[in-house]
Amino acid sequence: MTARERNSALIEAIIADGLLSDAALVDAFRSVPRHLFIPESGALTANGGSLSATGNPDRWLTAVYTDNAIVTRVEETEVPRQRGADRTAATSYSSAPTVLARMLELADLANGQRVLEVGTGTGWNTALLAHRLGDAGVTSVEIDERLLGAARRALREAGLSPGTHLADGYGGFEEAGPFDRIISACGVGRVPGAWLDQLAEGGLVVCPWGLLENAGVLMRLERRAGGTALGTFHGGVGFVPLRTPGPVPPPVRDSGQQPDEYRLTQTDPVAPMLAFASAFAVSVMVPNWRMRRRWIGTGSGMWLCDRGGSSWVRIYPYGTSWMIEQGGPRSIWDEVEEALAEWSRLEEPGPDRFGLAVDPDGGQRVWLDSPDGYSWPVGTPD
């Protein structure tokens, strides 16, 4: 199949799944094929397989027109994610086509709107926006100079010239505001104040939101009078987090410390932390923690720690049971168990029953079922 045929087949599949219905967006997806924005070398599949348009063009084209993210940049990390893994982490993706379709549909785009895109990335979403709204309606910012240069070249070759700028998207782009829409494929756990300041009343922020690392939900947040905002969550999504000010959090591990407490349990403690619905609820209800899978000789376990690394939990199989060890000033696992019990008492709500509110004082909180119902504060950035 040719690239055009593959693009057409992918779009028809997205339409058939009910994820793309706006006629103007359908036209944008048909007119701006993804392969124009994927590097011909150096890209990776979501599973880490290398892609080369010259070495294996059919494999490259198949990956481009499969509904998966494509890694377009990796950077070295302090520790590998698991034993034997590379010391690298993806820092830029071309989002899966259905994720972009969902985001752009949620944005409710219309002619005459001014849109800020945070994270130009490969430029594909920038191109879709520019085709839909016109070059003058789109401002895109990218913090990585190398990515921005490649995106600009791809946009020129596609015959598009939206405004693209080397800038930190955490601060928005005040010079071109106010905006009717702010769209980001990068995920946030707390909506930057600058975005809300630069958003017109009635405007929308559409981006991934989540307190788990690299996993969350799509959020549609509407700015209301008095500086408040109200957001709803719309299905799960993986994401690269927005780069934010401050130091990089330490790796999730126990640093070989001796635990303050040992506990054996017959109930698998790892399963609810790997199930998205329960893990999402715990991320909302328990503040300031992170987790990572832990691979040891007896099987798969888990580490948890606070964002400073001073309190931690170590979980691993122990015969037919599970060992839970924790140390530091906080008993994080006790907090997790209390949150899971509360989630169960609330009839195990899924992520779509939660939403985000920004109050007049700038505080942010996650609510359940109604902004006036149960809610949990979102901590300030570390």
Side-chain angles (χ1 to χ4, degrees):
M1 293 175 67
T2 66
R4 180 181 295 273
E5 291 169 335
R6 291 173 190 264
N7 184 48
S8 179
L10 177 61
I11 293 166
E12 291 303 322
I14 297 173
I15 293 171
D17 287 341
L19 300 176
L20 186 61
S21 58
D22 181 276
L25 284 178
V26 171
D27 181 58
F29 273 86
R30 292 193 192 283
S31 303
V32 184
R34 189 188 193 193
H35 71 270
L36 299 180
F37 297 88
I38 302 299
E40 292 189 348
S41 63
L44 303 171
T45 67
N47 294 323
S50 60
L51 297 172
S52 171
T54 54
N56 192 333
D58 187 66
R59 184 172 186 269
W60 181 84
L61 206 55
T62 297
V64 169
Y65 287 109
T66 298
D67 184 33
N68 284 319
I70 292 179
V71 179
T72 56
R73 182 155 189 188
V74 296
E75 292 182 359
E76 187 167 313
T77 60
E78 183 177 345
V79 293
R81 284 169 290 179
Q82 63 187 69
R83 190 172 300 168
D86 292 336
R87 298 171 65 92
T88 59
T91 57
S92 183
Y93 287 85
S94 171
S95 297
T98 51
V99 171
L100 288 190
R102 290 165 58 200
M103 287 180 61
L104 295 177
E105 286 279 357
L106 280 174
D108 193 19
L109 299 171
N111 294 338
Q113 290 175 343
R114 297 179 60 81
V115 174
L116 173 65
E117 180 195 32
V118 176
T120 311
T122 65
W124 185 36
N125 191 49
T126 321
L128 293 169
L129 287 167
H131 186 280
R132 172 64 183 85
L133 299 172
D135 290 335
V138 179
T139 299
S140 183
V141 295
E142 172 58 55
I143 197 171
D144 188 312
E145 187 172 8
R146 189 172 74 179
L147 286 174
L148 182 61
R152 283 172 168 168
R153 289 190 293 273
L155 286 163
R156 283 196 301 269
E157 291 172 6
L160 298 164
S161 55
T164 56
H165 306 271
L166 183 65
D168 183 352
Y170 183 84
F173 198 72
E174 188 175 10
E175 299 93 308
F179 301 101
D180 301 295
R181 301 289 185 269
I182 296 178
I183 297 173
S184 174
C186 301
V188 301
R190 183 177 178 85
V191 180
W195 293 11
L196 297 172
D197 291 342
Q198 296 168 30
L199 192 64
E201 188 172 320
L204 301 176
V205 172
V206 178
C207 68
W209 183 94
L211 300 171
L212 297 169
E213 294 184 27
N214 304 318
V217 289
L218 279 182
M219 176 185 68
R220 172 182 160 128
L221 181 77
E222 180 182 354
R223 190 181 191 280
R224 299 189 170 189
T228 64
L230 196 63
T232 50
F233 296 155
H234 301 266
V237 66
F239 60 83
V240 171
L242 180 73
R243 301 185 195 187
T244 56
V248 176
V252 181
R253 56 183 177 180
D254 56 28
S255 302
Q257 301 172 59
Q258 290 299 310
D260 298 321
E261 177 188 347
Y262 298 83
R263 187 186 311 173
L264 273 176
T265 179
Q266 300 295 317
T267 303
D268 182 356
V270 173
M273 305 304 289
L274 298 182
F276 181 59
S278 49
F280 180 87
V282 171
S283 76
V284 167
M285 297 175 184
V286 178
N288 182 25
W289 65 280
R290 304 162 64 213
M291 70 176 176
R292 180 167 70 89
R293 294 293 296 275
R294 180 173 186 261
W295 305 91
I296 61 175
T298 56
S300 172
M302 182 170 287
W303 273 306
L304 287 80
C305 71
D306 65 13
R307 294 191 180 278
S310 60
S311 297
W312 54 270
V313 180
R314 182 167 52 209
I315 301 172
Y316 55 92
Y318 191 84
T320 59
S321 304
W322 292 84
M323 177 67 76
I324 301 171
E325 301 173 350
Q326 57 183 341
R330 283 178 64 189
S331 296
I332 295 177
W333 190 250
D334 292 6
E335 297 176 35
V336 168
E337 289 185 322
E338 290 171 6
L340 287 170
E342 183 175 12
W343 179 66
S344 179
R345 181 180 61 79
L346 294 170
E347 300 181 349
E348 301 186 356
D352 286 5
R353 285 177 55 188
F354 293 85
L356 184 76
V358 180
D359 295 324
D361 62 358
Q364 300 185 18
R365 57 189 173 85
V366 177
W367 48 264
L368 175 65
D369 292 331
S370 165
D372 300 322
Y374 290 100
S375 65
W376 298 264
V378 177
T380 56
D382 295 317

